[in-house]
Amino acid sequence: MKLSSFFSEKQNEICHKGEQNNQNKDIEFQPSSAQEGSQYQSGDCESEASMDTLELSKDSLSSDEQKASAFEERESGDFTVDEGEYDYETACSESRNDTDGNLGVPQSPNAKSRCSNLFSTRSTGSHLSLSLEKSAAKPSGRPHSTLTDPNFVENYFKYSRLHFIGTWRNRYRKRFSNLLEAKGIKLSADHSGKKKTIIHIDMDCFFVSVVIRNMPELHDKPVAVCHSDNPKGTAEISSANYPARNYGIKAGMFVRDAKARCPHLMIVPYNFDAYEEVADQFYGTLHKHCSKVQALSCDEAFLDMTECLHDNPEEVTQRIRSEIFHATKCTASAGIAENMLLARLATRSAKPNGQCFIPSEKADDYLSSLSIKALPGIGHTVSSKLKSKEIEYCSQLRNVSKDALHKDFGKKTGDLLWNYCRGIDHSIVGSVQETKSVGAEINWGVRFNDNKDAEHFLNNLCKEVSLRLQGCGVQGRTITLKVKTRREGAGEPIKYMGCGDCETTSRSMTIAGATDSFVTLQRIAKQLFSALHLDVL
DNA sequence: ATCCTCCCCTAC
DNA sequence: TAAGGTAGGGGAGGAT
Ligand SMILES: Nc1ccn([C@H]2C[C@H](O)[C@@H](COP(=O)(O)OP(=O)(O)OP(=O)(O)O)O2)c(=O)n1
Ligand SMILES: [Mg+2]
Ligand SMILES: [Mg+2]
């Protein structure tokens, strides 16, 4: 059996380079956090000497237990919802089998693992994450794992779509820094009773549209972006165009399931450079029409047109969309409303290649029949909890008192639910926000035979985080390491080179002076890993 | 009260 | 074969 374990590191408390102070050099690490672990305490954290591989290696080698990664279980949960067309649980049956049940809430846990480290002094931080997995005794054959590629970390990120979208914001920040004035962000303060005009705009099936933008013959055929065209494969669909969605194909689905629904589905490869270029054209157009632009992702933004409006909002929106199409040969859809919530919901109705205006007097009607799960910020866990009480639509949610929502979901989420189901949203369109953390994690292809493998991987992850910190020009003081370990009794991962069903644990440590140094990260990460008392094998 | 650590949840 | 990342919001529970 194989085992896999993950870990990640994270550093918090970032500070902009330049100002940091080191107060006490002596005490570089504050043992405090590390010890929390508690029982364990063997002092790993304190003495560097002890940290040595010895302790680690012993532990790790000694036990045979296996640990695996967890993605699968939870994943299933995340997606189950929609129309039931694609049952992720089935796809990931592993997870379910596993046993033990967990606690309470129905499949709540997500399986995602992440590892990260972050630092920060003030506002920035960095994350580092690693994942480890023990490899099966003999099958060394895996072509794409930490066991066979010494530069696995570096290579992995070149091909990861989630890494691309996850780091896009930092690139955007650099590219458009001249246009971003760090102003007020999201604090909900909408006291100016003035009516606003908000536009939410999102490119249609972005990754597919960009790749086929010069291939009109494919526009009405089902097409999806994926690394693999193997009809038995577990590669994930990144984006599917609208003809493909008619077959029930969605992002995140395994390619074998997509092919089963639509055998003639055309698979096209990723083109990250083109996504970057089209996103720049998209944002270039937006900034031309509006000074208040909030980027949500590479293909999606909010515009506060209240003060940039010269014409009818719908005509302006039409113009912006035409201009985007002219510049990119890709279509965008937009929603227009008086607040960000309604504008975003309007976009959904508008897709594909359309636009939709929701006047505030129609908001109540529009929301009544809307599923709670469709509200932004409400995912599988919250919506399932409500559904178990027979509350599925916004109209039903309006009958639940604020107190009851607070009790079940906490203050903030309770307020959000209460407001959103009534179409209330006071957030304001902001431009940039200060970085709070920086991290890196890998939950695929991570396999270790011994502690050396794990250490090598961890070091590479530290290097990655160090570079990212330097790239952002920030440093951090709190380093967090997260590790995934295969859950007891979990079988092989369903997904090729996946992490499977894992348990995640994390440890963090705050140091006196902010850092972006590889050597420092490496040292702290090692201590944190050791404090977790995990066995590699 | 407020802060801190270790999670969980969400979205792209 | 295939590339399951990243970051912020938020809560529980303990320390201060
Ligand atoms: N699970 C996901 C979600 C998104 N993406 C990538 C591919 C998408 O093209 C891009 C933008 O995400 P969207 O949610 O905007 O999805 P699309 O643009 O593909 O479709 P839509 O027309 O619904 O916006 O992010 C991904 O790789 N995996
Ligand atoms: Mg889109
Ligand atoms: Mg989008």
Side-chain angles (χ1 to χ4, degrees):
Chain A
M1 333 188 123
K2 316 171 166 189
L3 312 180
S4 69
S5 62
F6 251 147
F7 37 96
S8 61
E9 243 186 355
K10 200 190 242 184
Q11 304 179 348
N12 291 329
E13 292 193 27
I14 304 174
C15 53
H16 289 285
K17 231 180 193 175
E19 46 187 308
Q20 201 22 341
N21 34 337
N22 306 324
Q23 319 174 340
N24 307 323
K25 273 175 126 185
D26 301 342
I27 313 178
E28 283 206 344
F29 333 110
Q30 277 273 10
S32 60
S33 58
Q35 302 186 343
E36 274 201 9
S38 66
Q39 339 48 348
Y40 313 124
Q41 112 144 132
S42 45
D44 345 282
C45 305
E46 305 185 354
S47 63
E48 297 187 348
S50 64
M51 302 189 48
D52 278 61
T53 52
L54 295 180
E55 283 201 348
L56 289 178
S57 56
K58 269 195 178 182
D59 290 345
S60 58
L61 296 175
S62 61
S63 68
D64 285 351
E65 305 181 344
Q66 312 173 344
K67 318 205 160 179
S69 50
F71 269 3
E72 316 192 342
E73 292 189 345
R74 317 213 159 182
E75 271 188 340
S76 51
D78 290 350
F79 303 101
T80 35
V81 182
D82 307 13
E83 312 95 293
E85 303 188 356
Y86 180 61
D87 183 350
Y88 280 79
E89 299 199 9
T90 299
C92 303
S93 55
E94 285 186 330
S95 39
R96 292 178 141 319
N97 291 341
D98 304 304
T99 76
D100 1 36
N102 353 347
L103 328 172
V105 189
Q107 51 180 207
S108 49
N110 285 325
K112 303 198 155 194
S113 59
R114 4 157 116 187
C115 315
S116 52
N117 270 355
L118 38 129
F119 304 88
S120 63
T121 59
R122 228 234 149 78
S123 34
T124 354
S126 67
H127 292 279
L128 233 237
S129 70
L130 310 181
S131 61
L132 308 180
E133 173 156 332
K134 187 212 185 172
S135 70
K138 30 126 168 261
S140 50
R142 305 349 183 66
H144 292 102
S145 79
T146 50
L147 291 175
T148 52
D149 183 358
N151 295 317
F152 182 78
V153 172
E154 187 183 340
N155 288 331
Y156 177 78
F157 289 126
K158 283 188 209 152
Y159 294 99
S160 166
R161 80 193 201 270
L162 292 175
H163 173 258
F164 175 86
I165 63 179
T167 51
W168 174 84
R169 187 181 209 72
N170 284 332
R171 293 190 296 277
Y172 167 77
R173 220 177 266 180
K174 278 182 196 165
R175 204 151 335 190
F176 288 86
S177 56
N178 50 326
L179 299 173
L180 308 176
E181 329 140 28
K183 36 179 82 166
I185 307 206
K186 55 164 58 235
L187 305 178
S188 47
D190 177 19
H191 304 324
S192 69
K194 188 172 163 190
K195 274 201 175 178
K196 295 184 295 183
T197 299
I198 307 296
I199 296 175
H200 174 259
I201 184 161
D202 186 303
M203 303 294 289
D204 299 321
C205 49
F206 188 57
F207 280 17
V208 173
S209 298
V210 171
V211 171
I212 67 173
R213 68 198 194 284
N214 294 315
M215 309 162 82
E217 69 280 6
L218 293 184
H219 286 194
D220 42 9
K221 298 197 169 55
V223 181
V225 169
C226 186
H227 279 304
S228 161
D229 196 4
N230 177 353
K232 297 181 174 177
T234 57
E236 287 170 29
I237 300 296
S238 173
S239 180
N241 69 355
Y242 284 79
R245 288 181 205 197
N246 290 334
Y247 291 86
I249 295 168
K250 302 174 188 173
M253 187 177 273
F254 287 162
V255 65
R256 68 182 180 202
D257 299 314
K259 286 279 191 175
R261 285 156 184 263
C262 176
H264 58 292
L265 174 69
M266 169 103 45
I267 299 295
V268 296
Y270 292 86
N271 185 344
F272 295 119
D273 289 343
Y275 304 148
E276 197 78 48
E277 181 185 327
V278 172
D280 279 353
Q281 294 167 338
F282 174 66
Y283 277 95
T285 304
L286 298 183
H287 284 293
K288 217 159 71 181
H289 288 268
C290 180
S291 56
K292 282 189 183 170
V293 177
Q294 180 177 344
L296 287 190
S297 77
C298 59
D299 87 326
E300 184 173 352
F302 278 111
L303 310 180
D304 182 343
M305 300 299 289
T306 311
E307 283 152 20
C308 336
L309 211 53
H310 304 298
D311 286 312
N312 174 325
E314 294 182 76
E315 286 172 17
V316 175
T317 303
Q318 183 63 243
R319 208 173 307 140
I320 293 172
R321 292 177 47 235
S322 302
E323 209 167 307
I324 288 167
F325 181 72
H326 185 254
T328 68
K329 296 190 198 152
C330 297
T331 61
S333 297
I336 307 149
E338 284 174 12
N339 67 41
M340 294 169 73
L341 168 67
L342 293 170
R344 193 175 200 159
L345 294 174
T347 301
R348 194 161 326 171
S349 304
K351 275 180 176 291
N353 193 18
Q355 61 183 67
C356 172
F357 171 52
I358 301 182
S360 50
E361 62 273 18
K362 298 238 181 93
D364 271 13
D365 275 354
Y366 181 86
L367 284 162
S368 296
S369 58
L370 193 74
S371 160
I372 293 165
K373 172 75 157 55
L375 296 171
I378 305 305
H380 171 263
T381 300
V382 171
S383 61
S384 300
K385 213 156 153 184
L386 285 165
K387 195 166 179 182
S388 71
K389 304 178 176 196
E390 308 292 313
I391 302 170
E392 189 172 1
Y393 296 97
C394 289
S395 54
Q396 299 169 301
L397 185 54
R398 290 186 197 139
N399 298 324
V400 182
S401 74
K402 204 181 260 199
D403 276 353
L405 293 175
H406 284 173
K407 194 144 103 37
D408 287 350
F409 301 101
K411 174 83 170 69
K412 303 283 194 153
T413 306
D415 284 346
L416 183 102
L417 285 167
W418 197 89
N419 285 325
Y420 276 16
C421 71
R422 291 171 173 77
I424 299 170
D425 178 14
H426 296 303
S427 357
I428 47 188
V429 177
S431 33
V432 219
Q433 61 188 98
E434 151 180 62
T435 300
K436 293 181 176 170
S437 68
V438 173
E441 56 191 87
I442 299 181
N443 293 300
W444 187 90
V446 180
R447 299 292 187 277
F448 303 138
N449 283 326
D450 54 34
N451 280 305
K452 271 262 183 313
D453 292 342
E455 194 169 323
H456 177 250
F457 179 71
L458 187 52
N459 286 343
N460 284 334
L461 209 49
C462 287
K463 195 165 299 173
E464 179 68 29
V465 172
S466 168
L467 290 173
R468 292 186 194 184
L469 284 166
Q470 291 163 17
C472 298
V474 298
Q475 298 184 329
R477 291 182 50 224
T478 300
I479 296 101
T480 301
L481 175 68
K482 276 196 195 173
V483 181
K484 286 207 175 225
T485 11
R486 183 160 298 165
R487 201 180 295 278
E488 185 130 6
E492 281 304 292
I494 290 170
K495 182 175 172 62
Y496 171 70
M497 281 290 117
C499 62
D501 177 19
C502 287
E503 266 177 274
T504 305
T505 51
S506 77
R507 220 44 141 214
S508 64
M509 185 182 303
T510 299
I511 60 179
T515 185
D516 58 9
S517 144
F518 164 60
V519 175
T520 303
L521 289 184
Q522 194 180 32
R523 194 185 62 231
I524 306 291
K526 192 170 175 180
Q527 291 182 69
L528 291 169
F529 184 59
S530 166
L532 285 170
H533 290 89
L534 300 171
D535 298 328
V536 172
L537 260 251

